[in-house]
């Protein structure tokens, strides 16, 4: 074995080292003067010095910027007083760099290298106590879930373990009460579920095998079948039978839009784009893995959702990503961090890096998202990742395979990674989760996924398969189990290509190793498919075939290890019976006096974590790749204003576009989950209108993240929110096409339960006839008029303004969907006619924040008069008018020449001309009594907004 | 007259191939997209084409270093063909990852056998991948075929390892084809106008003949007027600033 060190030439600035010194300083350790980060490669081979020189010179080191040495330690590492920490991946964690190094060695004609492992060596200069060193190591350098510290040079390649087949049967039929309870817990069944399973095996007259129970547990997991949403719920004296059917999908059914091509059936929801192309969209969550390993968890989150469009219909090309994160505030005190919980700043940085590294490498623009902060996300951060795909309209329907078609696994090899991810995702985290759940966390390999996408889109074009699905949560068990529901399937588990030896048949079956897709290939096409995959070095293996006996049969080395009825697997799960109650908390009403100068209040809100600029994150995502971004996430005179929605032109030769938007405001949920959901829908739609879209063809996605819904008050909140989804969407005429939920987001620490706020993300896609009608939110011309469109109410409950005062209040913003729709329709008409120069969604922070953002994004000043704001109810305080978060409002810029026509089109909609754009470089606002209440330069406002996340 | 024939090569992780194909098609060329394996296995003949393009992306994940593994494949598997292709008087364009590949394979600037490369593209000074729009000035003294007649352009960058660095004696002033400027064309505007800390604000270089051109920014992402980040302020032109790069190349091979 050889060890190679690659490091920057010592006269060059080391951005990684400097970054580490900054991060250490953030831990309040100020005694570190310098840090050096060195890349280490361990090669499992005996090589000559000449060979090693060749490898270093030609492959691993850049001769201009880097030095290398092998089989010895650098002077810096040996120097007394320097601290050396070398961090390697644990055995079983597959690092994507290994594969690339192997390719590079092969290109250099170096053979005989059996294994490659990478590591990082950190040399820290300065005086540290052992305790400080440990803090640096634990908080910054090592994630014990996947990594460990090794002594430099003392590294050993893991031995490949052997596996000898032994069938494992579970004595379910002979089990006593205690044993039954153990089985129930091992496989995370509920009591009625276990009893149904037991009845099935009684009928079969035999005991189950372990892999059969694993298959049932996975197929029946909350993550995969949404038991809570399908449950029979007793609520408020009434029975709600299946929330999904009675609210969310009911909207779609009743609206019955002909442009909805495939809804709630496939891996993502599909709508028509232009008669020739179809668009599909899916948003997933990857919360639990991101809590314990932010980088890997988030990377595999985005990697997983990208495979949803790829596994929809006959396969769609991913064209954009969205991401929405919820974290605890980055300034959360280190010392208050519960045991087993990573600091929110580390989670934030890791998640951002994971999403960016994966999405950027795949060449999918990340164009829309949001980041929200609340202390209750401390132990349960939320990571929503979405992907939209584009496919020919004739490929939009889920494929139909035939008995005899071969089951082909395409893409990554299978390892022990992600085992029990589906059931892990459906469980509560504890402070032990970090140590027990390591197999649930994986490191993604984006290039394998890119290769899979490239090859499958070619195979799709050549008609080489009849059906496709992704291998996501639940692995092969889920993919083959679902595909084979109507036919039956047999799989030879020993034919699955493995990353390393030692996996037993059950692990192979349920592994959630990433970057895998399953396709159904007609036997006559298999040679062509395998040739195609080989031409681009993509792994493809025939692992079984679809049958016609409606049984799921699994074999390992010829031994049958499972024989399950598809009927029982998919239909045998008993419906849950749950209780829900409504719990409406009351908070103290605000009783503070109006501040004299609201400029400071404005800056406080602009600088709050939720409102402040997220440019630091957005810039690190590639939002230009594929060349389709027409309205970008950052807009304005210097490309740094907060755009509302994003507009994409998915087909270069057409002017037709798609708008992507999202609505989310968990703060409102602490007052009322119904109005939270209504507000989220209104917000997503407002953003679509704000960039020049309309409501004619808008589809919605729902993603619920909730606490433990086995608690009646949690479930009551969920029922309320789902009801609002129906009540709003039916009036707006916007069907739901896909959705997902993540429940049990609670954390137990020292006997205390922390539940996340009820969080509903509404994602929206809207079709736009001509992208050239898009508008952006930045003010354009001095002299233009500023209107508030929509009436303002005294709705400060859970507002950004009250939050800066440490208050919540009770007057949560409500929605009148019929009025809102009429308003939006009229505003769209005005925009289409070119009468609107700029338009901004009025959301967190109300009129004050929206106008401030429009001003500094456009590099222009503005003068406003609050007397001209049209009030829908009496408000006698300037601050409440300025910062009310009433829904269905927009700030609109109109040139003087267009005012008459604009006002005519708006008709009976409440609008108020509140001021004008000017070149003063200042935002000046006059209150109800004519006094100046805000006078701030746009530079100061922008600085307040940009400062918090300028990392 | 027959169309100019362009070969766009892709490798595992290439991701801006679609835009490169579109840009050359808009410029009137006939474009073929081929996998690098097809070139290595000689299923695709380089010499059927007049323009060879390595587009942007993360070839082989940019593991080890950006473009390194693909650069080695280029050099070791069909390096001789590459050099012959160039010496025959044809055009080579490397964008972003493609530029990194050209530099690290010793094609641009040319590194003779046995010599050590003297320049490279390395980590941005900011230590981050960044996606932002930049202003480029065109060096009027450069013989670059691709930028002929152009003065400046506004195009996006999207990279983490785009800092041009090393011993500048490896090139001369005329090899600097494009450089970062501010909105007004000033060359020493600093970060973020120069988004990566490149020495002398170098954004792209060409060889002495002007036929090999590599640059970090993405002209292929500004072909249409609505790709401009401020078209809603300034009005949408039909075509973007990047198109002339591709038109120049096509014009040149057609001998116009």
């Amino acid at each position: 074995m050889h060890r190679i060190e690659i490091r920057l030439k010592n006269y060059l600035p080391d951005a990684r080292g400097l970054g580490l010194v900054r991060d250490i300083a953030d831990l309040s350790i100020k005694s570190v003067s310098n840090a050096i980060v060195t890349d280490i490669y361990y090669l499992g081979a005996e090589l000559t010095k000449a060979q090693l020189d060749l490898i270093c010179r030609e492959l691993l080191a850049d001769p201009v910027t880097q030095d290398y040495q092998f089989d010895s330690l650098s002077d810096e590492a040996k120097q007394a007083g320097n601290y050396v920490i070398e961090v390697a991946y644990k055995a079983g964690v597959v690092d994507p760099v290994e594969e690339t190094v192997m390719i590079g060695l092969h290109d250099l004609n170096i053979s005989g290298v059996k294994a490659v492992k990478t590591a990082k060596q950190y040399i820290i200069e300065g005086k540290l106590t052992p305790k400080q060193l440990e803090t640096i190591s634990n908080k910054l350098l090592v994630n014990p879930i996947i990594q460990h510290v090794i002594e430099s040079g003392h590294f050993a390649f893991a031995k490949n373990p052997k596996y000898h087949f032994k069938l494992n049967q579970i004595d379910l039929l002979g089990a006593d009460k205690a044993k039954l309870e153990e089985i129930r817990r091992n496989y995370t069944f509920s009591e009625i579920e276990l009893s149904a399973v037991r009845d099935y095996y009684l009928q079969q007259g035999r005991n189950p095998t372990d892999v059969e129970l694993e298959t049932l547990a996975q197929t029946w997991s909350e993550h995969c079948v949404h038991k809570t949403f399908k449950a029979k719920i007793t609520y408020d004296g009434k029975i709600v039978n299946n929330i999904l059917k009675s609210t969310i999908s009911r909207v779609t059914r009743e609206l019955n839009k002909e442009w909805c091509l495939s809804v709630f059936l496939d891996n993502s929801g599909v709508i028509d784009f232009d008669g020739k192309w179809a668009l599909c969209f899916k948003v997933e969550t990857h919360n639990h893995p991101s809590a314990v390993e932010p980088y890997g968890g988030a990377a595999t989150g985005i990697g997983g959702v990208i495979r949803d469009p790829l596994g929809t219909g006959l396969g769609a090309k991913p064209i954009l990503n969205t991401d929405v994160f919820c974290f605890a505030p980055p300034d959360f005190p280190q010392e208050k961090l519960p045991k087993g919980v990573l600091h929110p700043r580390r989670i934030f940085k890791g998640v951002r890096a994971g999403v960016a590294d994966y999405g950027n490498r795949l060449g999918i623009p990340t164009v829309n998202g949001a980041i929200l902060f609340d202390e209750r996300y401390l132990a349960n951060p939320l990571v929503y990742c979405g992907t939209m795909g584009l496919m020919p309209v004739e490929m939009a329907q889920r494929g139909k395979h035939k008995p005899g078609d071969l089951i082909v696994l395409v893409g990554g090899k299978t390892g022990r990674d992600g085992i029990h991810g589906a059931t892990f995702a459906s469980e509560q985290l504890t402070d032990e989760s970090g140590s027990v759940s390591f197999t649930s966390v994986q490191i993604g390999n984006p290039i394998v996924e890119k290769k899979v996408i490239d090859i499958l889109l070619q195979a799709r074009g050549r008609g080489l398969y009849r059906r496709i699905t992704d291998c996501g949560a639940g692995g092969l068990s889920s993919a083959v189990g679902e595909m084979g529901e109507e036919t039956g399937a047999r799989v030879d588990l020993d034919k699955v290509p493995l990353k390393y030896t030692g996996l037993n048949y059950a692990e192979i079956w349920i592994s959630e190793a990433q970057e895998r897709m399953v396709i159904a290939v007609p036997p006559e096409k298999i040679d062509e498919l395998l040739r195609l995959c080989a031409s681009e070095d993509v792994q493809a293996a025939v692992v079984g075939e679809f049958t016609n006996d409606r049984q799921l049969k699994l074999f390992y080395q010829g031994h049958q290890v499972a024989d399950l009825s598809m009927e029982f697997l998919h239909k045998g799960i008993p419906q849950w019976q749950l209780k829900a109650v409504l719990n409406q908390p009351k908070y103290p009403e605000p009783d503070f006096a109006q501040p004299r100068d609201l400029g400071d209040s404005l800056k406080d809100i602009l600088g709050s974590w939720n409102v402040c600029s997220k440019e630091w994150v957005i810039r690190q995502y590639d939002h230009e790749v594929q060349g389709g971004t027409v309205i970008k996430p950052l807009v304005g005179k210097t490309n740094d204003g907060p755009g509302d929605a994003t507009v994409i032109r998915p087909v270069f030769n057409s002017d037709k576009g798609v708008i992507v938007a999202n609505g989310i405001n968990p703060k409102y949920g602490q007052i009322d989950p119904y109005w939270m959901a209504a507000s989220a829908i209104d917000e997503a739609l407002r953003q679509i209108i704000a960039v020049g879209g309309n409501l004619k063809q808008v589809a919605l996605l729902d993603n619920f993240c909730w606490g433990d819904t086995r608690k009646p008050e949690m479930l009551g909140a969920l029922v309320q929110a789902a009801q609002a989804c129906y009540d709003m969407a039916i009036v707006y005429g916007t069907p739901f096409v896909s959705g997902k939920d993540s429940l049990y987001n609670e954390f137990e620490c020292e006997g205390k339960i922390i539940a996340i706020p009820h969080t509903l993300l509404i994602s929206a896609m809207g079709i736009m006839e001509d992208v050239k009608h898009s508008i952006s939110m930045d003010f354009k011309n001095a002299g233009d008029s500023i209107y508030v469109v929509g009436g303002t109410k005294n709705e400060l409950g859970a507002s950004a303004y009250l939050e800066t005062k440490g208050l919540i209040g009770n007057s949560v913003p409500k929605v009148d969907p019929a009025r809102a729709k009429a308003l939006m329709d009229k505003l769209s008409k005005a925009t289409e006619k070119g009468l609107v120069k700029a338009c901004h969604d009025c959301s967190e922070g109300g009129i004050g924040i929206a106008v401030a953002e429009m001003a500094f994004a456009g590099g222009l000043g503005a003068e406003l008069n609050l007397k001209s704001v049209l009030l829908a109810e009496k408000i006698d305080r300037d601050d409440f008018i300025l910062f009310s978060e009433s829904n269905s409002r927009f700030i609109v810029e109109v040139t003087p020449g267009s005012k008459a026509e604009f006002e005519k089109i708006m008709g009976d909609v409440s609008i108020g001309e509140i001021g004008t754009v000017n070149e003063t470089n200042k935002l000046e606002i006059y209150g109800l009594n004519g006094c100046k209440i805000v006078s701030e330069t746009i530079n100061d406002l922008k600085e307040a907004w940009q400062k918090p996340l300028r990392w | 007259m027959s169309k100019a024939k362009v070969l766009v090569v892709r490798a595992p992780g290439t991701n801006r191939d679609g835009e490169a194909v579109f840009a050359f098609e808009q410029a009137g060329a006939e474009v073929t997209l081929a996998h690098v394996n097809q070139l290595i296995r000689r299923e695709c003949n380089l010499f059927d084409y007049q323009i060879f393009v390595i587009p942007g992306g993360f070839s082989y994940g940019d593991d080890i270093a950006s473009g390194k593994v693909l650069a080695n494949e280029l050099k070791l598997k069909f390096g001789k063909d590459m050099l012959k292709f160039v010496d025959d008087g044809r055009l080579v364009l490397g964008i972003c990852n493609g530029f990194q590949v050209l530099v690290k394979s010793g094609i641009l600037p040319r590194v003779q056998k046995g010599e050590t490369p003297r320049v490279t593209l390395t980590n941005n000074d900011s230590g981050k991948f960044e996606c932002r729009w930049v202003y480029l000035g065109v060096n009027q003294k450069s013989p670059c075929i691709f930028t002929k007649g152009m003065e400046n352009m506004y195009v996006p960058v999207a990279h983490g390892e785009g800092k041009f660095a090393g011993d500048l004696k490896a090139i001369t002033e005329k090899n600097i084809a494009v450089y970062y400027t501010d909105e007004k064309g000033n060359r020493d505007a600093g970060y973020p106008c120069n988004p990566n800390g490149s020495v002398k604000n170098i954004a792209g270089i060409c060889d002495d003949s002007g036929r090999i051109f590599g640059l970090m920014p993405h002209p292929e992402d500004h072909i249409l007027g609505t790709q401009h980040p401020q078209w809603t302020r300034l009005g949408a032109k039909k075509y973007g600033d990047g198109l002339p790069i591709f038109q120049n190349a096509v014009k040149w091979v057609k001998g116009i």
Side-chain angles (χ1 to χ4, degrees), chain A residues 34 39 190 351 353 412 518 521 822:
Chain A
N34 189 29
D39 292 310
S190 72
V351 165
V518 176
V521 180

mmCIF file of all heavy atoms in Angstrom, chain A residues 34 39 190 351 353 412 518 521 822:
data_model
loop_
_atom_site.group_PDB
_atom_site.id
_atom_site.type_symbol
_atom_site.label_atom_id
_atom_site.label_comp_id
_atom_site.label_asym_id
_atom_site.label_seq_id
_atom_site.Cartn_x
_atom_site.Cartn_y
_atom_site.Cartn_z
ATOM 1 N N ASN A 34 -3.054 29.368 11.412
ATOM 2 C CA ASN A 34 -3.030 28.878 10.041
ATOM 3 C C ASN A 34 -3.537 27.435 10.018
ATOM 4 O O ASN A 34 -3.449 26.715 11.013
ATOM 5 C CB ASN A 34 -1.590 28.939 9.492
ATOM 6 C CG ASN A 34 -1.555 28.640 8.009
ATOM 7 O OD1 ASN A 34 -2.517 28.907 7.278
ATOM 8 N ND2 ASN A 34 -0.444 28.073 7.555
ATOM 9 N N ASP A 39 -4.816 16.701 0.555
ATOM 10 C CA ASP A 39 -5.544 15.540 0.044
ATOM 11 C C ASP A 39 -4.649 14.309 0.116
ATOM 12 O O ASP A 39 -3.492 14.355 -0.292
ATOM 13 C CB ASP A 39 -5.962 15.774 -1.407
ATOM 14 C CG ASP A 39 -7.005 16.869 -1.502
ATOM 15 O OD1 ASP A 39 -7.992 16.799 -0.763
ATOM 16 O OD2 ASP A 39 -6.818 17.803 -2.310
ATOM 17 N N SER A 190 -47.427 -1.655 12.874
ATOM 18 C CA SER A 190 -48.364 -1.330 13.942
ATOM 19 C C SER A 190 -49.002 -2.644 14.397
ATOM 20 O O SER A 190 -48.817 -3.671 13.746
ATOM 21 C CB SER A 190 -49.435 -0.367 13.441
ATOM 22 O OG SER A 190 -50.312 -1.060 12.579
ATOM 23 N N VAL A 351 -25.893 20.979 3.962
ATOM 24 C CA VAL A 351 -27.029 20.744 3.068
ATOM 25 C C VAL A 351 -26.846 21.543 1.776
ATOM 26 O O VAL A 351 -27.030 21.032 0.670
ATOM 27 C CB VAL A 351 -28.351 21.125 3.770
ATOM 28 C CG1 VAL A 351 -29.490 21.244 2.777
ATOM 29 C CG2 VAL A 351 -28.686 20.100 4.845
ATOM 30 N N ALA A 353 -24.113 22.578 0.432
ATOM 31 C CA ALA A 353 -23.040 21.992 -0.371
ATOM 32 C C ALA A 353 -23.497 20.694 -1.028
ATOM 33 O O ALA A 353 -23.176 20.440 -2.197
ATOM 34 C CB ALA A 353 -21.810 21.748 0.505
ATOM 35 N N GLY A 412 -25.867 2.475 -10.547
ATOM 36 C CA GLY A 412 -24.908 2.222 -9.482
ATOM 37 C C GLY A 412 -24.959 0.789 -8.963
ATOM 38 O O GLY A 412 -25.956 0.089 -9.100
ATOM 39 N N VAL A 518 -34.774 0.906 -12.451
ATOM 40 C CA VAL A 518 -35.200 -0.426 -12.894
ATOM 41 C C VAL A 518 -36.037 -0.259 -14.156
ATOM 42 O O VAL A 518 -36.938 0.592 -14.198
ATOM 43 C CB VAL A 518 -36.019 -1.134 -11.798
ATOM 44 C CG1 VAL A 518 -36.544 -2.466 -12.309
ATOM 45 C CG2 VAL A 518 -35.174 -1.346 -10.552
ATOM 46 N N VAL A 521 -37.481 -4.735 -19.824
ATOM 47 C CA VAL A 521 -36.950 -4.802 -21.188
ATOM 48 C C VAL A 521 -37.491 -6.043 -21.894
ATOM 49 O O VAL A 521 -37.353 -7.162 -21.386
ATOM 50 C CB VAL A 521 -35.405 -4.863 -21.151
ATOM 51 C CG1 VAL A 521 -34.826 -4.927 -22.561
ATOM 52 C CG2 VAL A 521 -34.850 -3.661 -20.401
ATOM 53 N N ALA A 822 -60.220 36.669 -8.777
ATOM 54 C CA ALA A 822 -60.661 37.763 -9.659
ATOM 55 C C ALA A 822 -59.541 38.805 -9.782
ATOM 56 O O ALA A 822 -59.251 39.306 -10.877
ATOM 57 C CB ALA A 822 -61.930 38.391 -9.096
#
